[in-house]
Amino acid sequence: MSDERMTPAGIPIPVAARPSDTTLDYARDLGDPGKYPYTRGVQPNMYRGRHWTMRQYAGFGTAQATNERFKLLLEAGQTGLSVAFDLPTQMGLDSDNPRALGEVGRVGVAIDTVDDMHLLLADIPLDKVSSSMTINATASTLLAMYIVVAEERGISRDKLSGTTQNDILKEYIARGTYIYPPAPSLALTAETFRFCASEVPSWNPISISGYHIREAGSTAVQEVAFTFADGLAYVQQALDTGLKVDDFAPRLSFFFAAHNDLFEEVAKFRAARRLWARLMREKFGANDKSCRLRFHTQTGGVTLTAQQPLNNVVRVTVQALAAALGGTQSLHTNGYDEALALPTAEAATLALRTQQIVAYESGVADTVDPLAGSWYVEKLTNEIEERALALINQVDELGGAVAGIEANFFQDEIGRSAYAQQLRIEAGDTVIVGVNRFGDGQDPPIIPAPDFSALEQDQAARLKAAKANRDQAATSRALAAISEAAVTYLPEHSGDRTPLMPLIIDAVRARASVGEVAMALETKWGRYQPV
């Protein structure tokens, strides 16, 4: 009887790995930590110098409620903010837009104007705490609001640190919160690269996301490959606008998932560092600093179960270990009740405590890359790199990431992987404890939800008041300037592009809303319709 076993990505697992399972040249394939190709980590001493940033993701309906959660987490020892926005904010819709009905504040915080951003960040020292914002199509607008809040509090731009996700390509591939067609969207991303490099030097203008690709059902190999295909497209777009690779590439950041197969996940992170370093060196001639892969990790949302939710504490712990062993730069650990509702304060605090126990009690932070030299881990690292590179080459043959999106290549590949994974679960070949084995027959618990209808009405009233109190003529002029400049970002335009970020900052300073800025761009760029 065959005892053949595979990792979740379909890589064969030896019964017992041997030295012959991997051949490595130390300098070429590993290198010391902090040295190219960064397989063993991007810093020479990694967590002995400083632990990863503990950045718990939060967004709760109103700006005030989210601000309260931020303060609770900071008091509990969190070291960075991470903002979840509601779907209307992500889609460029104001809270009073008919298309936003029923969605305001449900999966994150509703932000309509810079006044909401002031409430969100109240009493938080923006020159001392870094912030990450999971926002894509409207990333430039939310970054502009963040800058204006700091400015109105007397904090200069060069003191701000953080990240806007700003990864629009993966929205077409896996997530769906796009607004405009790919070409002007990519051009706007490149504009944020330019702006941040010159105005906000400690800000990461993009976090190229494999997390959402993995959440859509990809394998670990596809997560790496498709993320890097997107990353290469962003780099090329920036180069095409006249930027030099080493002027912006050091601020590129990435975002990956951590799932349950401990060794495959550790190997994935190590392979990703090496592969990105080699791609940047070989394709673009980037310097060592530009070749460093810096990434945030979030434990896997799709791995959480509504059944026996306390089991998720164990899953999250294993995933957090994988992220730490794999050398992440920052980490979000999910609350055990997130398969049921937005996490309760108790669950969010326990998730943070999980990180702290891993950091301070487990010993994994005391030495760099502690699983290096494991024949099995090195074999997996090689396999993931080789398979991911083969997929990247397939995308290149199609004409790059945008062409791959238009051909539905990414979507089809992820769909097949997700379907195969679900079949394995339903057949019992992949065991989900408490779901398809070791169940207890009990219904999942119910967590009370807030009154979203009342929240929606209150948010719409706040927006109406903000519009009534502003200088409407100044707002209209600022929005018109955005529309005029937007024409220069269309593919058919042959001249220089008018910098958009300063104009968006002017507009939000004049209290233009997220929806108004989005419409000012959409009137010139149109709305993307997938094939």
Side-chain angles (χ1 to χ4, degrees), residues 123-404:
D123 304 319
I124 292 170
L126 301 184
D127 52 347
K128 295 182 175 63
V129 175
S130 68
S131 301
S132 173
M133 297 191 285
T134 301
I135 195 76
N136 297 282
T138 56
S140 55
T141 306
L142 274 297
L143 174 58
M145 288 183 173
Y146 195 94
I147 289 169
V148 170
V149 167
E151 171 188 285
E152 293 180 350
R153 284 165 48 173
I155 301 170
S156 62
R157 298 171 185 180
D158 62 342
K159 297 292 193 297
L160 301 178
S161 62
T163 304
T164 33
Q165 189 164 100
N166 204 19
D167 176 7
I168 197 62
L169 290 178
K170 67 95 174 49
E171 297 298 326
Y172 304 112
I173 293 171
R175 194 160 174 265
T177 66
Y178 46 73
I179 303 174
Y180 323 109
S185 296
L186 272 174
L188 181 57
T189 300
E191 159 64 2
T192 60
F193 286 8
R194 179 205 65 77
F195 175 80
C196 289
S198 62
E199 299 283 337
V200 201
S202 295
W203 194 272
N204 301 316
I206 193 168
S207 176
I208 305 163
S209 175
Y211 181 85
H212 300 99
I213 290 170
R214 191 69 177 278
E215 288 285 286
S218 81
T219 66
V221 170
Q222 290 170 330
E223 179 188 1
V224 172
F226 297 163
T227 304
F228 286 176
D230 289 348
L232 294 173
Y234 292 125
V235 172
Q236 189 60 58
Q237 177 73 23
L239 294 175
D240 291 345
T241 65
L243 293 174
K244 295 180 180 178
V245 66
D246 296 324
D247 289 342
F248 67 87
R251 297 311 305 179
L252 298 179
S253 64
F254 290 79
F255 176 22
F256 293 113
H259 279 210
N260 290 331
D261 191 299
L262 180 73
F263 297 109
E264 182 173 78
E265 293 302 300
V266 172
K268 177 188 76 178
F269 297 131
R270 299 174 81 249
R273 268 194 301 273
R274 185 163 71 204
L275 179 55
W276 182 250
R278 288 172 168 169
L279 289 169
M280 290 297 287
R281 176 67 51 81
E282 293 164 10
K283 287 181 176 289
F284 306 113
N287 66 24
D288 281 2
K289 196 171 182 181
S290 296
C291 291
R292 291 190 309 170
L293 177 76
R294 299 173 305 112
F295 63 93
H296 170 72
T297 307
Q298 181 174 340
T299 57
V302 295
T303 70
L304 303 177
T305 64
Q307 301 92 331
Q308 301 178 25
L310 285 175
N311 293 349
N312 295 327
V313 176
V314 184
R315 294 187 179 100
V316 168
T317 304
V318 172
Q319 294 164 12
L321 275 169
L325 289 166
T328 192
Q329 276 60 68
S330 69
L331 177 61
H332 164 88
T333 33
N334 290 331
Y336 66 83
D337 54 6
E338 286 189 52
L340 302 165
L342 290 173
T344 59
E346 176 193 49
T349 302
L350 180 58
L352 177 59
R353 295 287 180 253
T354 301
Q355 290 202 50
Q356 291 165 335
I357 290 169
V358 169
Y360 293 100
E361 298 186 26
S362 73
V364 300
D366 292 338
T367 188
V368 181
D369 194 23
L371 292 185
S374 158
W375 301 319
Y376 178 47
V377 169
E378 298 295 1
K379 171 184 168 62
L380 285 179
T381 301
N382 290 347
E383 286 274 2
I384 291 171
E385 181 185 17
E386 290 169 9
R387 293 180 182 214
L389 181 58
L391 277 175
I392 291 169
N393 289 337
Q394 279 187 262
V395 176
D396 284 346
E397 289 169 8
L398 290 170
V402 174

Side-chain angles (χ1 to χ4, degrees), residues 21 31 73 92 215 259 286 304 360 427 467-468 484 489:
D21 289 324
L73 289 168
E215 288 285 286
H259 279 210
L304 303 177
Y360 293 100
K467 289 182 176 180
E484 184 178 347
Y489 287 71

